[in-house]
Amino acid sequence: MQHACDNWFVAFFEGALIMLIMVRIIKSMRGSIPFIRRIPGLNAIDEAIGRATEMGKPILMIPGILGLDIVSLQALNVFTHVTRTAARFATPIRMCVCDATLYTISQEVIQDAYQAEGKPELYDPDSVRFLSDQQFAFAASVAGLIQREQVAATFFLGSFFAESLIFAEVANSVGAIQVAGTVMTTQTPFFIAACDYVIIGDEFYAASAYLSKEPVATGSLVGQDYAKLLLTFFIVLGSIIYTVTGYAGGPHVPLIHTLFADGGWTALLHSIRHLF
Amino acid sequence: MHNWEIAQGNTIWLALAGVLLVTFIVIGLLTKLPLTLRRPLLSVLVFVSGLFYALEYFLPTHMVLDHGVLVPENFLTDLIPNIINPLAQDLSALLFGLGLFSLIRMHFNNVVRQRSGWVNSLALLVSTLSMMVFGFWSRANLHHPQWVDQVYHHLFDGVYQNMDAAMFSLIAFFILSASYRAFRIRSFEASILMTSALIVLLGLSFGGLITDKVPDYGLWSNFRIETWSSWILNIISSPGLRAIDFGVGLGGLAMGLRIWLGIEKGALFGD
């Protein structure tokens, strides 16, 4: 287990990041709502639902293959929006989950979404399915479901691993419009290659703010940007300190350290002359 | 395992029955709660859980000998492996039962009503039942016949593992079809992508043979394919991925904070 007293700098730095986010949330709650740039992947959600509605085929949603965590909760936020929009047009949905804990929560969330739209009778308990908690058994089940039901739109949002390409390619083969987003940087390239729209990196966490325009979420998003600026400042500062002092050591002698050493400039000029 | 060591003999069945009874009463009461009360209760529980981990992280520690290794601990640290982790495991096991029930119910209905593809549902039911019967028989009963182990291993190692590996191997073909579409040169960006991918592929495979005659020292080493390949991976790709990771980490931190403080809206937390 890690503790704050192991490295107080990290603890204080995290505290500073939290303060930045909290300050922006409070400002937004007081009425200063910031602008959020257009995110094509999130704009495509309505387009995908519209297409499924026109074709009269189901929409498939998968909240990753891990259990209940921040990532899957964020995916559920987006899926609530998808389900509510689908409920308005009576478009059928299918949601496949790989974790039993997430399954029970997903059922409740989807049922609530239908109730919120005033169409509880459209909710089908079999639309949320627990298929398997084994990675490739789940992948096989989802691939089979995509083929059998010829889904028109797919939403893959959450934590994915090697099975990501199986989902995306099978959905591509049935001509489904695909929106994918993952926090796993190793899987993003696969989604980019196979899907129509991809939500990259922290755009995934921007989704609820973008879709709901809710003050807390939008304020938090701007707070994250301030936190990124703070991180960037420390990265630049660290790079300068490393370049000047060679603090971290290593096999390469830092340029500036060499130049400030005795005969450093002469050695540099000599090596340049030697090149030609 | 810890719980099994505490209670032995008949006591364990009584303990199990008691735990199940209490669990179902608590779950029953929770489901009867109106939505307006359920969400504040959820927020309080989430806050208390988050506070526990925050305190465990920030409170001062002292060094304790654990399995011959000195580790930093405070008075809350011990609760994590002894109470919280087993509790989470028990809850997961209970919820897995619910998931399994849903799966079986759906496929059972498919078979009974002979819906399209009902034979697949039958295969799933038979497979699930076989694995459960032979798995429990082989593990729970120490005096089982030897053929039970053989059947279990045949089902698990001979059937399941091979099908799992077959599914994994499909990815190789999907990579080929996806990369074919991704690398079609249709724009300037696609050309850059294609060129970079080609250099990295060559650098990681037989590309070294092409620039084999180029010296691998001094200025000339910059003209070797492997140098280009590692330059693209380490100087272009890695910083990009790290930047994305920073963003993802901050996004997770912000969302965790919102959930912990009960100010998150949306699924589960109300509009």
Side-chain angles (χ1 to χ4, degrees), chain B residues 177-198:
Chain B
S177 61
S179 52
Y180 168 72
R181 283 203 310 279
F183 294 152
R184 268 183 300 178
I185 299 175
R186 287 169 297 186
S187 61
F188 179 64
E189 289 87 350
S191 316
I192 294 175
L193 185 72
M194 178 68 203
T195 315
S196 313
L198 196 67

Side-chain angles (χ1 to χ4, degrees), chain B residues 61-78:
Chain B
T61 56
H62 54 273
M63 300 307 275
V64 177
L65 202 64
D66 182 22
H67 295 95
V69 183
L70 275 174
V71 288
E73 273 190 17
N74 54 40
F75 74 100
L76 294 172
T77 312
D78 254 357

Side-chain angles (χ1 to χ4, degrees), chain A residues 23-44:
Chain A
V23 165
R24 276 309 310 184
I25 289 177
I26 291 166
K27 274 186 86 171
S28 282
M29 286 167 91
R30 286 182 179 167
S32 162
I33 309 283
F35 166 77
I36 305 176
R37 70 172 170 83
R38 186 177 167 272
I39 301 174
L42 297 172
N43 272 353

Side-chain angles (χ1 to χ4, degrees), chain B residues 62-140:
Chain B
H62 54 273
M63 300 307 275
V64 177
L65 202 64
D66 182 22
H67 295 95
V69 183
L70 275 174
V71 288
E73 273 190 17
N74 54 40
F75 74 100
L76 294 172
T77 312
D78 254 357
L79 298 178
I80 295 171
N82 292 332
I83 294 182
I84 294 171
N85 289 351
L87 201 66
Q89 280 173 8
D90 294 347
L91 198 64
S92 299
L94 184 78
L95 293 170
F96 179 76
L98 285 178
L100 191 65
F101 172 74
S102 141
L103 188 74
I104 289 173
R105 188 198 60 197
M106 201 184 79
H107 288 279
F108 186 74
N109 283 339
N110 284 352
V111 174
V112 170
R113 292 174 192 171
Q114 300 220 332
R115 288 177 186 150
S116 138
W118 67 272
V119 181
N120 297 331
S121 297
L122 186 67
L124 180 129
L125 291 174
V126 172
S127 315
T128 309
L129 197 69
S130 313
M131 282 302 286
M132 277 171 74
V133 167
F134 288 103
F136 279 124
W137 198 355
S138 164
R139 293 285 181 277

Side-chain angles (χ1 to χ4, degrees), chain A residues 1-5 70 74 77 80 84 100 103 108 112 126 130 134 136 162 165 169 185 202 220 224, chain B residues 38 56-57 61 80 95-96 102-103 105 160 164 168 171 174-175 177 181 247 251 255-256 258 264 267 271:
Chain A
M1 297 290 290
Q2 287 189 331
H3 293 94
C5 53
I70 298 251
Q74 177 62 15
N77 276 343
T80 305
R84 288 183 69 159
Y103 163 71
E108 189 171 341
D112 283 355
D126 284 344
F130 169 73
Q134 298 298 306
F136 288 109
L165 198 59
E169 277 297 283
T185 44
D202 57 340
S220 156
Q224 282 166 237
Chain B
R38 214 184 300 170
E56 201 280 326
Y57 177 71
T61 56
I80 295 171
L95 293 170
F96 179 76
S102 141
L103 188 74
R105 188 198 60 197
Y160 170 74
D164 204 53
F168 186 44
I171 295 171
F174 285 138
I175 285 177
S177 61
R181 283 203 310 279
M255 189 166 172
R258 296 199 305 266
E264 171 71 357
D271 293 324

